[in-house]
Amino acid sequence: GQQVQQSPASLVLQEGENAELQCSFSISTNQVQWFYQRPGGRLIGLSYIPGMKPTGKQTSSTVTKGRHSSLTISSSQTTDSGTYFCVLRAGANTGKLTFGHGTILRVHP
Amino acid sequence: EAAVTQSPRNKVAVTGGKVTLSCNQTNNHNNMYWYRQDTGHGLRLIHYSYGAGSTEKGDIPDGYKASRPSQENFSLILELATPSQTSVYFCASGDDWGGSWETLYFGSGTRLTVL
């Protein structure tokens, strides 16, 4: 099946710093979305369309091209701490989704 | 905001027992999903559904059954629970919009412990 690789596995920032989370996958597609999960919480979709500002968090953006996607978090805040998942859909007509293992982000004040 | 409600929030079961996890969504989404989340594996798709009466196998369907009796409800059934099925289970719903990527709305999760 398709593979989704995320890097780094974990990341520590000081508040105000920027970060770029990476995702690579085994097929070329734009059917990619990023999700955020606070510890013990539900997953929340961060972006609908690659390249557009995601809903719910206006200081991040995504770029997806070929077999790669990245999520940029700008001016990080402690409330950004959590796990970020890259999710791939096999095709436009399938509901089958593959999650990466996630990047754990900790933002310190 | 789409609402997806899972029940129970926590469940302790015995090996060999039957467990049913329930999921309800109130936004008339066609697609619903069951995932399990384990440390080191991320989220893995167990079963999904395109609408009432349909169920499809995901990546790890063995040991699980699914039921979609209505647009709103999607259940995950463990007929003979095993300790390896101890995990946190998430239900999600979503829909395509304009042919572009759908977004998923997740429930809060069910923590299942099989003793």
Side-chain angles (χ1 to χ4, degrees):
Chain A
Q2 55 204 11
Q3 304 292 322
V4 181
Q5 302 291 336
Q6 288 188 244
S7 63
S10 63
L11 183 61
V12 178
L13 298 177
Q14 290 298 127
E15 201 166 29
E17 290 182 330
N18 303 332
E20 188 172 277
L21 281 55
Q22 306 290 340
C23 178
S24 60
F25 21 90
S26 54
I27 61 172
S28 182
T29 179
N30 66 349
Q31 299 285 322
V32 179
Q33 188 173 6
W34 288 83
F35 284 82
Y36 164 72
Q37 184 183 33
R38 196 158 280 146
R42 69 179 70 201
L43 286 85
I44 300 170
L46 287 181
S47 58
Y48 291 98
I49 300 174
M52 291 186 64
K53 281 207 179 289
T55 60
K57 181 163 172 49
Q58 297 305 307
T59 56
S60 61
S61 61
T62 63
V63 176
T64 296
K65 185 176 182 180
R67 299 184 182 185
H68 185 80
S69 181
S70 62
L71 171 69
T72 299
I73 298 172
S74 304
S75 303
S76 62
Q77 304 172 16
T78 56
T79 52
D80 293 329
S81 296
T83 304
Y84 292 80
F85 293 96
C86 174
V87 182
L88 184 71
R89 185 160 74 169
N93 296 318
T94 176
K96 194 170 182 180
L97 308 175
T98 302
F99 278 69
H101 286 187
T103 293
I104 300 171
L105 175 65
R106 294 187 181 86
V107 182
H108 292 164
Chain B
E1 178 77 11
V4 179
T5 305
Q6 293 182 232
S7 63
R9 289 298 309 272
N10 293 282
K11 173 74 177 177
V12 178
V14 296
T15 298
K18 181 176 181 179
V19 177
T20 300
L21 306 183
S22 300
C23 179
N24 174 274
Q25 55 102 356
T26 59
N27 291 279
N28 201 33
H29 287 159
N30 288 326
N31 303 336
M32 296 187 74
Y33 306 82
W34 276 107
Y35 293 90
R36 61 178 286 175
Q37 185 175 31
D38 303 288
T39 303
H41 288 283
L43 276 83
R44 292 180 289 174
L45 180 63
I46 306 170
H47 285 288
Y48 60 105
S49 168
Y50 290 121
S54 97
T55 60
E56 306 285 339
K57 293 181 179 179
D59 295 319
I60 52 164
D62 293 345
Y64 302 93
K65 288 173 53 179
S67 173
R68 183 86 181 271
S70 64
Q71 182 81 338
E72 297 79 19
N73 296 296
F74 190 37
S75 298
L76 186 68
I77 302 152
L78 291 67
E79 295 279 4
L80 295 169
T82 67
S84 65
Q85 293 175 313
T86 293
S87 185
V88 179
Y89 291 85
F90 285 96
C91 175
S93 74
D95 220 342
D96 291 319
W97 53 284
S100 298
W101 170 259
E102 66 176 310
T103 191
L104 299 181
Y105 296 90
F106 280 82
S108 298
T110 294
R111 184 173 295 277
L112 173 66
T113 303
V114 182
L115 303 175

